[in-house]
Amino acid sequence: MTPFIGEMIGTMILIVFGAGIGAGSSLKKSYAQNAGWIVTTLAWGLAVTMGVFAVGSISGAHLNPAVTLALAINGSFPWAQVPGYIIAQLIGAMLGAAIVYLQYLPHWAVTEDPATKLGVFATSPAIPHTFSNLLSEIIGTFVLVLGLLFIGANEFTEGLNPLAVGLLIVVIGMSLGGTTGYAINPARDLGPRIAHFLLPISGKGSSNWGYSWIPVVGPFLGGSLGAVFYRAVFLGEMTGTLWGVVIINLVALILAYSFSKKISHAVDDVEKAA
């Protein structure tokens, strides 16, 4: 098996289990309906663990474009392989979402709410606010990449590393995931969102493309920041890349804040006019 196929299959496994708990806990007439946030976060952590166990020895099991980019920035992954890995991850995520759609085939029609159906595939903010939503994804993925790097710096008994990574996903979900659903992975959100758009899901409604850039851009920004922070603070290696990544993050947040302010003012004007 090639690394490309490995990343594709590993990400497919991640989404089958991850989106699968989303479907089981939210679609009507599922025995797992209303399973709750703790079950969801545990399932996503185990989903990552299974994906890493499956293809870790083949591709390194990035399963996440933000992780792939962060490792390249960190100097531990060749830049030439970055595009191929990201494409494989996106394809795998779409395939995983399609499998979940088929698994719950009769449940889509009996679930009336379009937002519930979209929530099986893609994330959405608990409170829509561009700046805060972007910041949440940046922080979540910053912690993810930082955690992956310091986990990797420790020596584990062979085979236990994927469990540690899964626990990292669980604690991120439990502590930081309540704001945006913790995409922390561009492929995890964009691949299933594309699948939602393409699949003949009964009464599916909008794929919410207006929000879709946040769970893509945020993880890339946060993952990159985590990589350069680890290198500067944990390894004591200050490079020009650090300041470049910090500046890019700040510019993105300033733009998001400005956009949020404009939206807020526009809403206030509409309310006053009413």
Side-chain angles (χ1 to χ4, degrees), residues 118 122-125 128-131 133-134 137 189-190 193-194 196-197 205-218 256 259-260 263:
L118 176 60
T123 62
S124 61
H129 186 271
T130 301
F131 172 77
N133 301 153
L134 182 64
E137 287 296 326
D189 190 274
L190 183 58
R193 195 182 296 270
I194 292 172
H196 174 271
F197 176 76
S206 167
S207 298
N208 195 10
W209 292 109
Y211 177 77
S212 65
W213 68 273
I214 290 178
V216 172
V217 174
F259 181 78
S260 294
I263 294 296

Side-chain angles (χ1 to χ4, degrees), residues 185-267:
N185 181 340
R188 171 265 175 276
D189 190 274
L190 183 58
R193 195 182 296 270
I194 292 172
H196 174 271
F197 176 76
L198 296 174
L199 289 169
I201 302 168
S202 175
K204 64 182 176 181
S206 167
S207 298
N208 195 10
W209 292 109
Y211 177 77
S212 65
W213 68 273
I214 290 178
V216 172
V217 174
F220 276 130
L221 292 173
S224 301
L225 190 61
V228 296
F229 180 86
Y230 178 84
R231 191 169 179 180
V233 176
F234 283 71
L235 303 181
E237 298 177 4
M238 303 290 289
T239 66
T241 306
L242 169 66
W243 305 114
V245 169
V246 168
I247 289 170
I248 291 171
N249 272 266
L250 288 174
V251 169
L253 286 170
I254 290 170
L255 291 173
Y257 181 78
S258 299
F259 181 78
S260 294
K261 292 290 285 184
K262 288 181 180 179
I263 294 296
S264 178
H265 289 321
V267 171

Side-chain angles (χ1 to χ4, degrees), residues 10-274:
T11 310
M12 181 185 74
I13 291 170
L14 165 66
I15 299 301
V16 165
F17 291 136
I21 183 57
S25 64
S26 60
L27 297 181
K28 285 192 173 180
K29 297 192 176 181
S30 160
Y31 287 132
Q33 190 177 10
N34 300 318
W37 189 247
I38 291 177
V39 172
T40 297
T41 56
L42 287 172
W44 273 105
L46 290 171
V48 172
T49 295
M50 293 302 107
V52 175
F53 269 131
V55 301
S57 63
I58 297 166
S59 66
H62 298 182
L63 315 182
N64 183 339
V67 171
T68 299
L69 179 64
L71 293 177
I73 290 173
N74 203 41
S76 55
F77 187 73
W79 280 99
Q81 295 185 38
V82 169
Y85 264 54
I86 292 176
I87 292 170
Q89 292 153 0
L90 192 60
I91 293 172
M94 293 172 65
L95 290 174
I99 291 171
V100 171
Y101 163 72
L102 294 173
Q103 172 70 18
Y104 286 89
L105 195 58
H107 295 263
W108 305 105
V110 298
T111 303
E112 296 89 358
D113 184 28
T116 298
K117 298 174 188 179
L118 176 60
V120 172
F121 296 89
T123 62
S124 61
I127 299 176
H129 186 271
T130 301
F131 172 77
S132 298
N133 301 153
L134 182 64
L135 181 60
S136 291
E137 287 296 326
I138 289 174
I139 292 172
T141 319
F142 170 83
V143 173
L144 169 65
V145 169
L146 187 62
L148 291 174
L149 292 173
F150 64 60
I151 287 172
N154 289 272
E155 293 185 5
F156 286 85
T157 301
E158 187 175 356
L160 290 182
N161 196 293
L163 294 175
V165 173
L167 289 173
L168 173 63
I169 301 299
V170 171
V171 73
I172 289 174
M174 289 183 174
S175 59
L176 304 175
T179 53
T180 60
Y182 71 118
I184 59 174
N185 181 340
R188 171 265 175 276
D189 190 274
L190 183 58
R193 195 182 296 270
I194 292 172
H196 174 271
F197 176 76
L198 296 174
L199 289 169
I201 302 168
S202 175
K204 64 182 176 181
S206 167
S207 298
N208 195 10
W209 292 109
Y211 177 77
S212 65
W213 68 273
I214 290 178
V216 172
V217 174
F220 276 130
L221 292 173
S224 301
L225 190 61
V228 296
F229 180 86
Y230 178 84
R231 191 169 179 180
V233 176
F234 283 71
L235 303 181
E237 298 177 4
M238 303 290 289
T239 66
T241 306
L242 169 66
W243 305 114
V245 169
V246 168
I247 289 170
I248 291 171
N249 272 266
L250 288 174
V251 169
L253 286 170
I254 290 170
L255 291 173
Y257 181 78
S258 299
F259 181 78
S260 294
K261 292 290 285 184
K262 288 181 180 179
I263 294 296
S264 178
H265 289 321
V267 171
D268 290 342
D269 290 342
V270 170
E271 290 177 348
K272 289 177 181 178

